[in-house]
């Protein structure tokens, strides 16, 4: 009888400890955090495209931040390439950003100085990257604008032969997408180019 009572007491104490540790967690790994991470993992496995989307976008954001420092610019270029490798529409910003660097038309001149010795100037490569961006997302107007500029400039940019008809096509489709997005700056840039070709 005494043995039975001792066994019941141990069972109750053990069960109480299990319940406490399960709901309260340990100092090293709280159960609540474990449940959250398991839930996140389940969501990611149910929707792998969503996980990749976040990855490509976060890699691009981190890359742009890294490019602002000469010490981390190389890591920024690596992250852009990793985001591009993810594929899909989520990689278009990485394609466009890398194209801007190769073409030496990136808006931040300090960033261009940081990548000067890391990437050679290559306007043909820039053109190809913008074509890939538009192939993935035909509405991505920043790349449409650059492609139009390539065809408008021709030899001056060195990417492609001059073709005014193609330039007009890129500018007229791009301006519509920029308007739909409410991007006043790009809309004005498109309109200036279109007017100059008329």
């Amino acid at each position: 009888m005494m043995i039975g009572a001792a066994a019941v007491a141990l069972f109750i104490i053990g069960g109480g400890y299990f319940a406490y540790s399960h709901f309260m967690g340990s100092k090293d790994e709280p159960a609540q955090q474990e449940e959250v991470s398991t839930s996140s993992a389940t969501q990611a496995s149910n929707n792998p495209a969503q996980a990749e989307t976040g990855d490509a976008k976060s890699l691009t954001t981190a890359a742009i931040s890294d490019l602002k420092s000469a010490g981390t610019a190389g890591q920024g270029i690596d992250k852009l390439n990793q985001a591009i490798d993810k594929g899909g529409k989520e990689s278009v910003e990485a394609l466009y950003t890398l194209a801007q660097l190769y073409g030496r038309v990136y808006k931040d001149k300090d960033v261009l100085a940081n990548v000067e010795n890391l990437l050679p100037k290559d306007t043909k490569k820039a053109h190809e990257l913008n074509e890939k961006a538009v192939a993935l997302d035909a509405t991505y107007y920043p790349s449409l604008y650059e492609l139009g500029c390539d065809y408008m400039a021709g030899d001056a940019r060195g990417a492609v032969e001059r073709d005014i008809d193609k330039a007009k096509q890129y500018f007229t489709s791009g301006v519509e997408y920029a308007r739909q997005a409410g991007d006043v700056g790009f809309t004005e840039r498109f309109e200036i180019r279109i007017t100059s070709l008329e």
Side-chain angles (χ1 to χ4, degrees):
M1 175 120 178
M2 218 166 179
I3 294 172
V8 170
L10 284 173
F11 178 78
I12 291 171
I13 292 170
Y17 175 77
F18 172 79
Y20 175 80
S21 64
H22 180 73
F23 291 107
M24 298 305 287
S26 69
K27 290 180 183 176
D28 296 331
E29 190 172 45
Q32 201 170 26
Q33 288 181 356
E34 187 179 321
E35 287 173 22
V36 170
S37 63
T38 303
S39 173
S40 299
T42 303
Q43 288 172 357
S45 66
N46 289 341
N47 192 354
Q50 185 178 7
E52 289 179 14
T53 299
D55 287 346
K57 287 183 179 182
S58 62
L59 279 168
T60 303
T61 301
I64 291 169
S65 178
D66 286 346
L67 291 168
K68 294 177 182 178
S69 168
T72 57
Q75 294 171 17
I77 293 167
D78 290 342
K79 286 175 185 170
L80 287 175
N81 284 310
Q82 289 169 24
I84 290 166
D85 289 344
K86 296 287 181 187
K89 286 186 178 184
E90 294 74 28
S91 66
V92 294
E93 187 181 358
L95 284 161
Y96 172 72
T97 302
L98 196 56
Q100 297 277 289
L101 298 176
Y102 272 114
R104 298 298 192 264
V105 292
Y106 194 78
K107 61 190 173 206
D108 187 332
K109 301 304 177 200
D110 290 335
V111 167
L112 289 178
N114 292 339
V115 301
E116 184 68 34
N117 297 322
L118 301 173
L119 282 180
K121 181 176 180 179
D122 188 340
T123 54
K124 289 184 179 181
K125 177 75 172 172
H127 185 83
E128 290 169 11
L129 291 167
N130 279 313
E131 284 183 323
K132 286 181 181 178
V134 170
L136 290 171
D137 183 356
T139 69
Y140 194 69
Y141 56 87
S143 286
L144 290 169
Y145 178 82
E146 290 302 327
L147 291 169
C149 288
D150 285 347
Y151 283 109
M152 182 179 176
D155 291 338
R157 266 198 173 191
V160 291
E161 289 184 24
R162 186 172 179 162
D163 188 330
I164 299 303
D165 290 335
K166 279 189 177 180
K168 281 183 183 176
Q169 286 176 338
Y170 282 115
F171 291 145
T172 52
S173 62
V175 73
E176 291 306 316
Y177 297 125
R179 284 180 185 141
Q180 289 171 17
D183 191 329
V184 176
F186 256 108
T187 298
E188 289 175 356
R189 290 168 74 183
F190 277 114
E191 288 171 346
I192 289 166
R193 296 294 187 186
I194 291 166
T195 302
S196 70
L197 292 177
E198 290 174 350

